[in-house]
Amino acid sequence: MSPKVPRAYLEARRAEIMKAAYQCFVEKGFHNTTMQDIYRATGLSPGAVYNYFPSKEDIVIAAVKEFNDWSRSSLESLISKNPYESLINFLRFWLSYIKQIDIIKSFSVQLDYYSAATRNSGIREAVLKNQDATHVKLVELIKQNQQAGVFNPKLDPLAIARAIMSMLFGLAIHKSLDPEVDVDAFGQVCEAMIQGTFSIPPEKRRKTSQLLSKLHTVEEEYLDRRSRL
């Protein structure tokens, strides 16, 4: 009878393989990385790696799940008794995360995962499960804000959650392409949209529009008179 391997050892070896695979994905891209590359990076035999992950897809699915667990626990730690404060904390947490990580390397791998998800049903299911888990917690916060009169209750909570996550996802793409993107300025715009200070109040907007219309009319009359001289 073979001796029982401690769970801690198994988890450490599994994490070691995932880390090595991630470095391969960063350097060569997910699609160009082979299992042979991962074997070499780990220094393990094919059989040893196969016992944990039979394919690249299995490594990605495990990585997506790991990120999902971390994302969900992070969100839960930000929730307070004030739903609006919790939502702002959530937004600032992700903005801070985007500023701190090596976004070019990290997000290039994430984009590879999304690309693979369009062709691989297993990875697609894992990515969607990750999104759904985040949306569930975010929707709860949005519903609480709607009940508190902060958000328009006529808007679909899931649609609001998708809009918020899309803004953050879009920022990560811009930041990965241009490290000079001002994350703080982006965050101010996002908070203004959530706080309702992004646009000019309707009444003031109408007055501004009427003023611009009058100025345009005066300018046209001036140019018309000038053309007749």
Side-chain angles (χ1 to χ4, degrees):
M1 183 176 179
S2 58
K4 187 176 180 180
V5 180
R7 182 179 180 85
Y9 173 85
L10 296 174
E11 291 179 349
R13 180 54 59 86
R14 185 173 183 274
E16 178 187 346
I17 295 171
M18 290 179 66
K19 182 178 180 180
Y22 174 79
Q23 289 303 319
C24 289
F25 297 157
V26 167
E27 295 169 7
K28 302 186 67 173
F30 169 77
H31 298 289
N32 293 326
T33 296
T34 65
M35 286 301 290
Q36 285 70 31
D37 293 326
I38 297 173
Y39 301 151
R40 286 193 292 270
T42 60
L44 301 173
S45 68
V49 175
Y50 187 88
N51 285 335
Y52 294 89
F53 302 105
S55 68
K56 286 194 303 179
E57 288 76 11
D58 291 307
I59 296 175
V60 172
I61 290 171
V64 170
K65 182 182 182 302
E66 188 177 81
F67 184 81
N68 171 44
D69 293 342
W70 171 81
S71 176
R72 187 171 61 249
S73 63
S74 297
L75 176 55
E76 289 174 348
S77 69
L78 298 170
I79 296 176
S80 67
K81 294 181 179 180
N82 185 324
Y84 176 72
E85 181 182 77
S86 298
L87 188 60
I88 294 298
N89 287 341
F90 171 80
L91 179 66
R92 291 176 179 173
F93 168 79
W94 279 105
L95 291 171
S96 176
Y97 174 71
I98 292 172
K99 284 177 67 175
Q100 292 175 15
I101 63 171
D102 188 343
I103 192 69
I104 295 177
K105 291 182 178 179
S106 178
F107 207 69
S108 66
V109 175
Q110 291 294 325
L111 288 176
D112 276 349
Y113 292 169
Y114 277 86
S115 174
T118 63
R119 302 176 182 86
N120 184 294
S121 59
I123 296 177
R124 178 176 179 273
E125 182 180 348
V127 169
L128 290 177
K129 187 175 182 180
N130 172 37
Q131 290 181 342
D132 290 344
T134 301
H135 288 157
V136 166
K137 292 295 180 181
L138 195 50
V139 164
E140 289 179 12
L141 281 179
I142 290 167
K143 286 182 176 178
Q144 292 171 11
N145 277 283
Q146 287 177 318
Q147 293 168 358
V150 178
F151 289 165
N152 186 341
K154 294 182 180 180
L155 297 177
D156 176 47
L158 179 57
I160 297 176
R162 291 186 186 281
I164 292 173
M165 293 307 300
S166 294
M167 288 193 296
L168 295 171
F169 189 83
L171 171 63
I173 292 177
H174 287 298
K175 189 68 174 175
S176 66
L177 295 174
D178 179 8
E180 298 304 315
V181 167
D182 191 335
V183 175
D184 292 328
F186 185 94
Q188 290 173 3
V189 173
C190 291
E191 288 194 31
M193 296 175 74
I194 292 174
Q195 293 168 347
T197 59
F198 177 77
S199 60
I200 299 172
E203 183 59 34
K204 188 174 182 180
R205 209 179 310 166
R206 282 194 294 272
K207 290 180 180 179
T208 302
S209 178
Q210 290 170 358
L211 177 60
L212 290 174
S213 179
K214 288 180 181 179
L215 289 174
H216 183 66
T217 301
V218 170
E219 182 181 13
E220 286 186 332
E221 291 176 350
Y222 169 76
L223 292 174
D224 181 59
R225 286 197 302 270
R226 187 169 180 176
S227 65
R228 293 179 184 180
L229 294 177

